[in-house]
Amino acid sequence: MNLRALAAKAIFDVLEKGLSLSVALPLQQQHVHNGKDKALLAELCYGVMRQLPQLDKCVSDCLTKPFKGKQRILHQLLLVGCYQLYFTRIPSHAAISETAEACRQLKFDGLVKVVNGVLRNIQRQEPQLNTDSDTLKYNTPAWLIKRLQQAYPQDWQQVIEQSHERPPMWLRNNRLVQTRDAYLASLAAEDIQATAGLSPDAILLATPTDVMQLPGFMSGSASVQDGAAQWAATLLAPQANEVVLDACAAPGGKTCHLLEIAPNISLTAVDFDQKRLERVQQNLDRLNLSAQVIHGDAANIDSWWQGDKFDRILLDAPCSATGVIRRHPDIKWLRKNSDISELATLQMQILDHCWQWLKPGGTLLYATCSILPEENSQQISAFLSRTADASLVAISEQTNPDDIGWQILPGQHNMDGFYYARLVKAL
């Protein structure tokens, strides 16, 4: 099946079935064996998600009547065709013919002329992509634009622009194997350009690179992890022989980093998602690290833990993921405005429960990959007001020491959007 048909299937699974693109895309990529073809398939899917409102408007305006039912996948196919015409260097004739052939492969032979005709009309007329509303202008849902305007009245447009940028590739040096400088030298020896990031183990690649080309990757010399996410283990700062909980641990990047920083801790990694928990064990195995991996609910620790309270807890809470839209542009279309208050309630429940399992004098690091105050600074402010034995410890990297936690915005130092608040329990 050609790439356009596979792209239409993946996009259909996201927009019509609610799958995340990180699940839907690999399902289609397994039918492709050439590396360049896999990359093009990803480009088509991610590109459509980034530009969805404009592409959707363009396609809808060219259809005499919308596709419905089983034919709905042809609307997604036209989005793929339209994206090629506006945003790729693929010759127009090739984009149109391949997309029309995809229609045939999707078993809609009788509608090939319709698909072909719509794309040829777009090619001939070359209409300007519509920007009549903020949603169309910024390719972002209205509810999210409104929240960003409220949270960042001076910077909201820049936040959105950064969320549309293609994300860089960050590595985390494994300090148990070599120093960061030594790994930078190994990369340079392979003609892979890279620079050191702000946090102790972070390395920023000049261009994304296949992990199989990275020196020592499969033997554990380095891991792929965004620069912002790497601050989690550094800020929690586990010490030898401490009992540490990584709540909501999947897929395990922070779990492994904690063990690279402090190999002698007793670490428990828990997650509610059994499937994603498998990734935690895979990451541990590749890096030759050991942790107790448990399928359980961080909001009900009593049901699966009979041990002592924890010296340190990393709570990377379930969130809207609005800080990582540049990596996962489908988030914009999978999330709803009502999700935010529901997530904030869940975060509150997990935070309150984890706090009960923290030893006096212990540290809890609250983290999200969100940029919305309701999930971050407002969440922590409310927690502090109702929790007498909790105090907030400022993070030296935050711009204003009086801020409630450290909010990293997308693109800041080339990192994803992230939030951290370090809480200490009274003795």
Side-chain angles (χ1 to χ4, degrees):
M1 189 171 283
N2 83 9
L3 296 181
R4 283 75 179 174
L6 295 174
K9 284 188 165 190
I11 294 164
F12 180 88
D13 283 345
V14 174
L15 299 180
E16 306 291 334
K17 295 184 179 178
L19 265 67
S20 69
L21 190 56
S22 59
V23 172
L25 178 58
L27 289 175
Q28 304 308 325
Q29 281 182 321
Q30 65 186 352
H31 302 297
V32 181
H33 304 294
N34 179 290
K36 286 186 177 179
D37 285 346
K38 283 190 176 185
L40 177 55
L41 178 54
E43 164 68 17
L44 294 175
C45 292
Y46 277 92
V48 167
M49 291 299 160
R50 288 193 181 99
Q51 310 294 147
L52 183 61
Q54 289 182 339
L55 297 174
D56 191 61
K57 176 69 172 164
C58 183
V59 167
S60 296
D61 286 350
C62 292
L63 287 170
T64 53
K65 60 178 182 178
F67 291 114
K68 294 182 179 179
K70 291 182 179 179
Q71 295 179 357
R72 185 67 185 159
I73 195 170
L74 297 184
H75 188 89
Q76 330 301 342
L77 180 62
L78 284 169
L79 296 177
V80 174
C82 193
Y83 176 76
Q84 292 171 87
L85 294 176
Y86 279 96
F87 295 103
T88 73
R89 296 179 180 177
I90 298 168
S92 297
H93 67 87
I96 293 171
S97 63
E98 287 291 327
T99 306
E101 173 58 26
C103 180
R104 190 172 283 110
Q105 292 191 11
L106 291 168
K107 310 296 185 190
F108 292 103
D109 296 51
L111 293 166
V112 172
K113 287 184 178 179
V114 175
V115 169
N116 190 68
V118 168
L119 293 178
R120 289 205 178 279
N121 280 340
I122 293 172
Q123 179 204 9
R124 275 195 303 269
Q125 297 169 15
E126 291 186 337
Q128 286 285 103
L129 291 174
N130 195 303
T131 57
D132 287 349
S133 69
D134 279 351
T135 292
L136 289 164
K137 183 177 180 181
Y138 296 106
N139 284 299
T140 300
W143 70 264
L144 182 54
I145 293 174
K146 186 176 180 180
R147 282 184 177 271
L148 293 176
Q149 287 172 333
Q150 291 171 344
Y152 308 102
Q154 307 301 320
D155 306 316
W156 67 272
Q157 290 163 302
Q158 185 180 353
V159 170
I160 291 175
E161 286 168 10
Q162 285 295 327
S163 293
H164 281 94
E165 293 293 319
R166 292 166 190 266
M169 184 172 175
W170 286 86
L171 302 179
R172 185 185 77 242
N173 175 62
N174 185 350
R175 62 173 73 181
L176 296 177
V177 177
Q178 72 274 304
T179 65
R180 178 168 62 178
D181 284 346
Y183 196 67
L184 282 166
S186 298
L187 290 168
E190 299 292 334
D191 291 325
I192 299 173
Q193 290 185 310
T195 53
L198 293 179
S199 60
D201 302 307
I203 293 173
L204 178 63
L205 297 185
T207 56
T209 304
D210 184 341
V211 294
M212 301 309 291
Q213 306 302 314
L214 299 173
F217 182 84
M218 291 312 294
S219 58
S221 291
S223 299
V224 177
Q225 187 180 35
D226 184 76
Q230 291 189 45
W231 280 103
T234 299
L235 294 174
L236 189 65
Q239 304 298 308
N241 304 314
E242 287 185 331
V243 181
V244 179
L245 172 65
D246 185 357
C248 314
K254 301 177 187 71
T255 308
C256 294
H257 197 192
L258 287 167
L259 290 164
E260 290 168 2
I261 288 175
N264 296 324
I265 59 174
S266 175
L267 180 60
T268 299
V270 66
D271 202 274
F272 193 67
D273 189 329
Q274 177 79 64
K275 189 72 176 172
R276 295 184 74 235
L277 205 57
E278 294 172 10
R279 293 272 308 282
V280 178
Q281 192 59 57
Q282 290 166 5
N283 280 315
L284 288 166
D285 291 344
R286 182 179 67 83
L287 295 164
N288 197 29
L289 298 169
S290 179
Q292 186 174 2
V293 179
I294 294 176
H295 176 221
D297 186 354
N300 189 15
I301 296 172
D302 315 58
S303 66
W304 50 264
W305 183 253
Q306 284 76 48
D308 294 336
K309 290 186 175 182
F310 298 96
D311 295 289
R312 294 176 200 260
I313 296 175
L314 171 59
L315 174 51
D316 187 6
C319 73
S320 63
T322 44
V324 293
I325 286 173
R326 63 180 186 172
R327 287 189 196 281
H328 306 284
D330 52 314
I331 286 167
K332 293 184 291 185
W333 318 118
L334 293 173
R335 284 269 174 251
K336 303 187 297 293
N337 191 33
S338 58
D339 291 342
I340 308 307
S341 59
E342 292 174 9
L343 284 163
T345 299
L346 177 61
Q347 292 156 1
M348 178 187 71
Q349 292 168 349
I350 298 174
L351 179 54
D352 284 348
H353 186 71
C354 284
W355 191 254
Q356 296 172 25
W357 279 91
L358 185 67
K359 290 179 182 176
T363 297
L364 184 149
L365 185 70
Y366 177 85
T368 75
C369 56
S370 169
I371 53 175
L372 300 179
E374 190 172 344
E375 301 178 86
N376 297 338
S377 57
Q378 292 175 17
Q379 180 74 260
I380 296 304
S381 180
F383 174 76
L384 290 167
S385 68
R386 68 175 179 267
T387 312
D389 59 353
S391 58
L392 181 69
V393 178
I395 294 167
S396 58
E397 287 73 22
Q398 64 190 67
T399 308
N400 183 351
D402 294 327
D403 287 347
I404 299 174
W406 179 27
Q407 179 69 71
I408 305 168
L409 293 178
Q412 193 175 323
H413 300 296
N414 248 327
M415 298 187 294
D416 288 345
F418 233 85
Y419 175 81
Y420 290 108
R422 188 164 48 195
L423 302 160
V424 173
K425 197 170 194 176
L427 286 167

